[in-house]
Amino acid sequence: MTSPALTPLRAATVGPRAESLRPPWPFTGREEELDLVRRSSAAGRPGVVVTGPAGCGRTRLATEAVRGTDCVRVSPTPETRATPFGAFAPVLPESVTLHRAVRLLSGVRLLFVDDAHLLDDASAALLHHLAVQGRTRLLVTVTDGAPAPAAVTRLRTGESLPRLALAPLPDDATDPLLEAAAGGPLDPLTAHRLRRLCRGDLRLLRDLTAAVRDAGLLTRLPETGLRAWRGPVPPTPALRERAAAVLARPCPEERETLDRLAFAEPLPLPAGALDLRALERLEADALIEVADDDTVRLAHPLHGPMLRATAGRLRARRLSGLRGPLTDALDTEAAALLDGIARDDVRTARTPVGEWLVAEGAPVPAGYAAVRARFARLRGELREAAAWAREGLSETPGHPACRRELALTAARSGDPDPDDGATEDGATEDGATEDGAPDDGAPDDLDAYDAVRLGAPERALELLPPDGVFARHARALARADGAALDRVAAELGERGFLLYAAEAYAQAASAHRDPTAARTARTRAAALARRCQGARTPALSGPALGELTARQRQIVTLAAAGLTNRQIAERLTLSVRTVGNHLYGAYARLGTADRTTLPWLVEQPA
């Protein structure tokens, strides 16, 4: 039975966060984790500890999980840490002992402790006793790496409660968050810039996007109508606080070193322009990184833009003069990307100079933009590929390689006519112009491999390099070897070819005789296709719904269109329970339990 002292204090929160005054974030990308937390906090379960890096969305997930439930919530702050039981002050009487606190809270059905690493020692001991006792279901969030009382550290390691470690949200799941914060959809290069600067910290992502919006820095691109951000980072108080580690560095030599890196990184070692002792101290404080090639960079991607934004005009003019010729740096980046393509490896590469040009709104050479577009297209980042191609065309209208990339990207997005003249040069899916010669001589996805992707591997076997991953794909498809196709798909994914990996898994799903293996391959294909920014290719048009009954196909199609179970029931004159049962059966056959995957399983080209 709940203590009378707690009855009027349901869902009490210590130290409400400032962001609670803002419109709530859309909840996205954590559906499976949400279901796990809810099940862990249900009757008969002990609860769960949710861990993850700062800003990964632990609080948002936990808040969504307890929505509509009868729970007590406490949120400790750095200020409450100095007071015994300070975090529990709203729900416990004054001068309470640990024994009495445990007894009072033992009757609570669900206790939600947010940011438990900020608990004082007495509150941490209370939480530990409640976890050991097992009468109160606990939902606890803890930040990875943050200093915490020993009792909370034991909880964080999963010693007393089940532990859920949150991984960073995938890029496609952050799109609704960016759109909500910006007030509309963003162009791909702006979205990429925001995600890169925030490095998975969703609170920072919201702060930065709101700062850009409020400063009026978002403009509409005439080609697409999307909102774009070009120019410096607005140095708002919130962002200054985020960059305080470098902005408030008291040592003049260290600040000079940081500023030089901000305007000209990466810089080589040894470098007469850099103070080596200052570098050692900055490296010890994790503010800089020294790469294997002995170049020095700032450790956090936001720090450089903030240092540049807060530099005075004269200081910025002096430091800008330290930057070497951008043409040479761009050529080096482009050569590295083309080398990766030649080695059949398009994993993410560091390209700070090109990204700096776009961020500052400076012209991007069309040849460089075409290479960036090709690299992004091969990775399956179709919207980014089109955006890079348009950047090049804005500098050099009619540039053949940029027009070709725009046409190829449109074709893979199911739009063979991009309506901007991009196909006038006769671009084909093999990356060549009508005369059959690649415009820059770099290896690309050859016509022979396109035959494999289209399901006709025999014509490609004699043309592809025999030891390459593309030839192995052709041989596996020719044998209709589902297991070999799975292995090829996994290797393609490891090499960064996400779209090709999705297509290989889709082919494996058709080749497998074992229904379980087929469902697994189909689910992997759908998951990868979701990351390919709207890809619509023939290989992804497999019989995803072939195993469903007519009624299941009907209900799954409506669910994929965004209708709720109740809306589907009303439209088809069925009960909500019947709709749920049909969906459950469809999920089992499709090999998914994620409703957000359904559009990728259903809305493929005919």
Side-chain angles (χ1 to χ4, degrees):
M1 182 175 179
T2 304
S3 167
L6 300 176
T7 302
L9 296 169
R10 293 289 184 190
T13 303
V14 177
R17 301 182 184 275
E19 55 260 36
S20 64
L21 302 177
R22 301 171 179 171
W25 273 108
F27 184 79
T28 177
R30 299 282 192 206
E31 287 77 11
E32 293 183 5
E33 293 92 338
L34 177 62
D35 180 64
L36 190 152
V37 172
R38 283 176 171 168
R39 285 189 280 111
S40 297
S41 303
R45 303 289 183 89
V48 65
V49 177
V50 182
T51 66
C56 71
R58 300 179 317 278
T59 298
R60 182 70 175 88
L61 171 65
T63 301
E64 193 70 21
V66 301
R67 188 182 303 279
T69 65
D70 187 22
C71 78
V72 169
R73 173 176 176 172
V74 295
S75 296
T77 67
E79 292 73 23
T80 63
R81 178 176 274 174
T83 305
F85 300 114
F88 289 87
V91 296
L92 290 174
E94 294 184 13
S95 303
V96 69
T97 64
L98 176 61
H99 176 75
R100 178 163 170 74
V102 171
R103 188 163 61 86
L104 288 172
L105 290 175
S106 294
V108 173
R109 294 180 180 178
L110 176 61
L111 176 63
F112 171 22
V113 182
D114 194 20
D115 288 340
H117 53 280
L118 296 177
L119 287 173
D120 59 274
D121 289 338
S123 295
L126 169 59
L127 186 62
H128 172 72
H129 280 282
L130 291 172
V132 172
Q133 188 184 68
R135 295 179 185 175
T136 301
R137 298 194 302 278
L138 300 175
L139 174 54
V140 183
T141 69
V142 188
T143 297
D144 286 343
V152 174
T153 299
R154 289 195 293 272
L155 283 176
R156 183 163 54 191
T157 59
E159 180 178 317
S160 304
L161 288 175
R163 174 174 173 257
L164 171 62
L166 291 187
L169 273 181
D171 286 352
D172 62 293
T174 64
D175 286 341
L177 307 180
L178 287 170
E179 185 171 338
L186 297 171
D187 94 290
L189 298 186
T190 297
H192 173 77
R193 181 186 182 188
L194 288 164
R195 285 191 288 257
R196 180 176 56 83
L197 290 176
C198 298
R199 195 180 274 181
D201 188 329
L202 300 181
R203 288 200 300 266
L204 177 55
L205 185 69
R206 183 172 195 174
D207 288 344
L208 178 56
T209 309
V212 170
R213 179 200 63 206
D214 295 343
L217 300 180
L218 292 175
T219 59
R220 289 190 182 275
L221 295 176
E223 304 92 343
T224 63
L226 298 174
R227 293 167 171 83
W229 169 37
R230 305 288 189 265
V233 170
T236 64
L239 295 180
R240 284 176 179 269
E241 183 179 353
R242 291 283 189 159
V246 292
L247 295 180
R249 201 73 181 182
C251 175
E253 292 80 10
E254 293 175 9
R255 179 59 189 266
E256 175 70 10
T257 299
L258 291 168
D259 281 342
R260 286 175 177 269
L261 288 170
F263 280 86
E265 67 176 335
L267 290 175
L269 284 177
L274 299 179
D275 185 301
L276 293 181
R277 291 187 180 277
L279 285 173
E280 291 174 0
R281 294 192 295 270
L282 293 171
E283 183 183 28
D285 291 342
L287 295 180
I288 63 169
E289 295 174 346
V290 180
D292 292 338
D293 60 355
D294 284 340
T295 57
V296 185
R297 305 173 188 269
L298 293 168
H300 197 287
L302 181 65
H303 289 168
M306 286 300 297
L307 286 165
R308 294 196 298 270
T310 55
R313 181 173 298 179
L314 293 177
R315 188 174 182 82
R317 182 180 300 175
R318 174 176 65 84
L319 293 170
S320 296
L322 301 175
R323 189 183 302 123
L326 293 183
T327 301
D328 293 344
L330 288 175
D331 289 345
T332 299
E333 288 186 359
L337 296 178
L338 291 173
D339 179 66
I341 293 173
R343 292 183 290 101
D344 298 333
D345 187 341
V346 292
R347 281 172 283 197
T348 303
R350 298 196 71 165
T351 50
V353 180
E355 288 166 1
W356 181 87
L357 283 179
V358 171
E360 297 296 321
V364 178
Y368 175 86
V371 174
R372 291 298 301 266
R374 173 184 293 185
F375 196 82
R377 172 172 56 85
L378 292 174
R379 286 177 49 80
E381 297 166 344
L382 301 186
R383 289 195 291 269
E384 289 188 26
W388 276 109
R390 291 191 179 96
E391 286 288 324
L393 290 171
S394 67
E395 174 65 11
T396 308
H399 188 271
C402 288
R403 291 162 60 123
R404 172 175 62 84
E405 288 302 325
L406 197 59
L408 294 176
T409 301
R412 294 188 180 186
S413 301
D415 179 17
D417 182 10
D419 195 29
D420 55 13
T423 58
E424 291 179 6
D425 64 345
T428 60
E429 178 67 4
D430 64 353
T433 53
E434 283 185 335
D435 63 3
D439 69 311
D440 57 9
D444 200 351
D445 46 331
L446 305 171
D447 179 64
Y449 185 60
D450 286 335
V452 180
R453 296 175 54 227
L454 294 172
E458 293 79 7
R459 60 177 288 198
L461 287 173
E462 296 181 359
L463 301 176
L464 292 169
D467 297 330
V469 63
F470 301 132
R472 289 195 293 277
H473 187 178
R475 289 193 292 269
L477 185 60
R479 299 194 308 267
D481 187 336
L485 284 169
D486 282 339
R487 291 192 295 271
V488 165
E491 182 177 353
L492 287 168
E494 291 173 358
R495 292 172 177 262
F497 295 99
L498 300 189
L499 177 56
Y500 297 164
E503 292 173 332
Y505 274 126
Q507 292 168 339
S510 299
H512 277 299
R513 296 183 179 181
D514 176 27
T516 300
R519 286 194 294 268
T520 300
R522 186 180 296 113
T523 300
R524 290 173 176 170
L528 286 172
R530 287 183 62 193
R531 298 169 58 186
C532 292
Q533 302 181 352
R536 295 290 187 271
T537 69
L540 294 177
S541 62
L545 302 183
E547 298 181 3
L548 304 185
T549 66
R551 178 64 85 181
Q552 285 174 335
R553 285 197 298 272
Q554 186 180 32
I555 290 174
V556 164
T557 301
L558 293 174
L563 274 67
T564 66
N565 287 12
R566 184 168 298 281
Q567 290 170 328
I568 296 172
E570 293 173 352
R571 177 171 296 193
L572 301 181
T573 319
L574 299 172
S575 70
V576 176
R577 176 175 294 181
T578 298
V579 170
N581 289 339
H582 279 302
L583 276 177
Y584 181 81
Y587 288 158
R589 293 191 178 194
L590 293 174
T592 181
D594 184 356
R595 195 182 188 101
T596 62
T597 303
L598 292 180
W600 291 99
L601 294 173
V602 177
E603 298 174 5
Q604 302 299 332

